[in-house]
Amino acid sequence: MSDYRLMPALALLGALAACAPGEDNARNEAAQTAPPSAQNGAATLNAAELERIGVRFASAETAAEIPIATVPATLAPPPNARVAVATVIPGVVTRTLVVEGDSVRQGQPLAIVAARELFTLGAGIEQAAARADFARANDRRLSQLAREGVIAGSRADEARAALREAEAELGEQRRIVRLVNGAPGKGSYTLTAPIAGKITNASIQTGSPVSESTAAYVIDAVSRYELTAQLPARLLGEVRPGMAVQLPGDIRGEVTSVASVLDMETRSARLRARIPAGPGVVSGRALPAIILAPAPAGSLVIPAAAVVDVNGKPTVFVREARGVAARPVSVGTPANGRVLVRSGLRAGEQIAISGVSELKAIVGQD
């Protein structure tokens, strides 16, 4: 009879044992789906939970320089880097060797111009050479006679002066031909590039007549450019020559001058900067320019996306051993996707740069 009395108890124990694994699984699933705990501006999150909500971290870096403003700017060649190639002798273009947009080196031939005046210059050189040869021979003869006492020394001096005059005339004729890269025997001269750069304007073609006032080509030096921008009045005392300027494509230049007088209409001052050649640096292009200043000692820089407003204060989420913590910081004005942190962080600390909206919701602060 005792065995029969034990059977219901054994059945109950078996049922409890069968249900135990299912309850453990339910508890595990509940733990996995439970929201992360948050307290006092901190959230306890493991690596898997951070990855699930898309949180990525980056280190707070020491700032060497800080962006203080982004201003609209325009690129142009500096005044001494744009050169017009003039046709100094009238004629007709017989051959062009470059077109607009070509890059040229200094001294490279650009075009050949036929000019009747070159024949005249050639004849003048031959005449001047003949007069110089005669004056040279006469100088030798009279100098010898003067040394022998046959003639007065003044006649030898006159012969020497005539020689110098003839040689000067010959030198002038030859210098003109050299300056225009002339070929008197062919009756033509060659236009050459005075500087290395790019042909930005070509106003002649084969068969075109040219005169002394014709600017056949305009060449812009491509090794350097000048940036001009309108600096707001609030920055007039902060921006100084020597500061860095950054353009899209990570091209850096240097501020060369800042006007000390404000424009009455725009309430801004003209800023000029020296810009090296680079991808996207094209004369006439309008683009934003970021002005950089030396950073104060101890300043840090972080991505601007890491900063959110929590309870009316700029805040970042700093990684800790058990998750993340919201920390108020003092920041500057964002520029170029970066922002200066004046206080509240230490160099090397890991801050959330994505998923910050989710972290803000988890922490429960608004």
Side-chain angles (χ1 to χ4, degrees):
M1 292 295 292
S2 61
D3 293 338
Y4 289 106
R5 286 194 300 269
L6 290 174
M7 287 181 64
L10 293 173
L12 179 59
L13 289 174
L16 292 173
C19 292
E23 292 176 356
D24 290 341
N25 292 336
R27 283 194 295 270
N28 290 337
E29 292 178 359
Q32 291 177 358
T33 57
S37 61
Q39 186 177 8
N40 297 327
T44 302
L45 296 164
N46 58 35
E49 290 169 332
L50 290 171
E51 183 177 359
R52 178 171 57 82
I53 62 177
V55 178
R56 292 186 297 110
F57 293 92
S59 298
E61 303 173 355
T62 302
E65 54 189 12
I66 57 173
I68 60 173
T70 300
V71 294
T74 304
L75 290 171
N80 59 348
R82 171 169 284 181
V83 178
V85 182
T87 52
V88 295
I89 298 177
V92 176
V93 179
T94 59
R95 188 180 179 189
T96 57
L97 307 175
V98 295
V99 295
E100 190 171 311
D102 282 353
S103 295
V104 296
R105 65 183 184 279
Q106 186 176 6
Q108 178 177 333
L110 306 177
I112 298 174
V113 180
R116 188 180 306 170
E117 190 173 332
L118 263 297
F119 288 116
T120 304
L121 284 173
I125 289 174
E126 292 181 3
Q127 293 170 5
R131 285 193 292 270
D133 289 341
F134 174 79
R136 192 173 296 109
N138 191 46
D139 175 62
R140 286 197 300 268
R141 182 172 59 84
L142 294 182
S143 295
Q144 180 65 30
L145 292 175
R147 285 193 296 270
E148 295 174 355
V150 177
I151 61 173
S154 59
R155 293 188 59 187
D157 293 339
E158 291 174 359
R160 178 57 58 86
L163 173 60
R164 287 198 297 267
E165 183 178 346
E167 288 178 340
E169 182 183 356
L170 176 61
E172 180 65 19
Q173 297 280 358
R174 287 174 173 171
R175 187 160 42 252
I176 293 173
V177 172
R178 285 197 304 271
L179 286 174
V180 299
N181 299 297
K186 299 179 180 179
S188 65
Y189 66 96
T190 303
L191 296 176
T192 59
I195 62 171
K198 181 175 289 187
I199 303 291
T200 55
N201 184 44
S203 61
I204 63 171
Q205 58 186 356
T206 302
S208 299
V210 295
S211 65
E212 300 93 328
S213 60
T214 301
Y217 298 100
V218 175
I219 302 176
D220 285 350
V222 295
S223 60
R224 62 193 187 279
Y225 291 83
E226 184 179 65
L227 177 144
T228 58
Q230 296 300 321
L231 192 67
R234 62 182 177 82
L235 297 173
L236 191 56
E238 297 183 37
V239 180
R240 300 179 301 277
M243 285 186 175
V245 174
Q246 185 173 346
L247 304 184
D250 201 25
I251 296 173
R252 293 172 61 90
E254 181 181 340
V255 176
T256 55
S257 67
V258 179
S260 58
V261 179
L262 290 176
D263 184 277
M264 296 302 295
E265 295 182 0
T266 63
R267 304 303 298 169
S268 61
R270 183 177 295 275
L271 175 145
R272 297 183 186 274
R274 184 186 304 111
I275 304 295
V281 179
V282 180
S283 179
R285 182 184 177 188
L287 71 179
I290 300 169
I291 302 173
L292 304 171
S299 299
L300 303 177
V301 65
I302 61 174
V307 182
V308 293
D309 184 83
V310 174
N311 297 326
K313 298 178 180 179
T315 303
V316 297
F317 290 97
V318 183
R319 189 164 196 174
E320 296 184 342
R322 299 186 60 184
V324 294
R327 187 183 300 174
V329 290
S330 173
V331 297
T333 303
N336 198 29
R338 311 277 281 177
V339 64
L340 175 74
V341 179
R342 298 189 179 94
S343 62
L345 277 180
R346 296 187 301 274
E349 285 192 297
Q350 296 285 303
I351 57 169
I353 59 173
S354 66
V356 291
S357 298
E358 289 80 358
L359 291 175
K360 182 178 177 180
I362 290 171
V363 171
Q365 300 189 28
D366 203 357

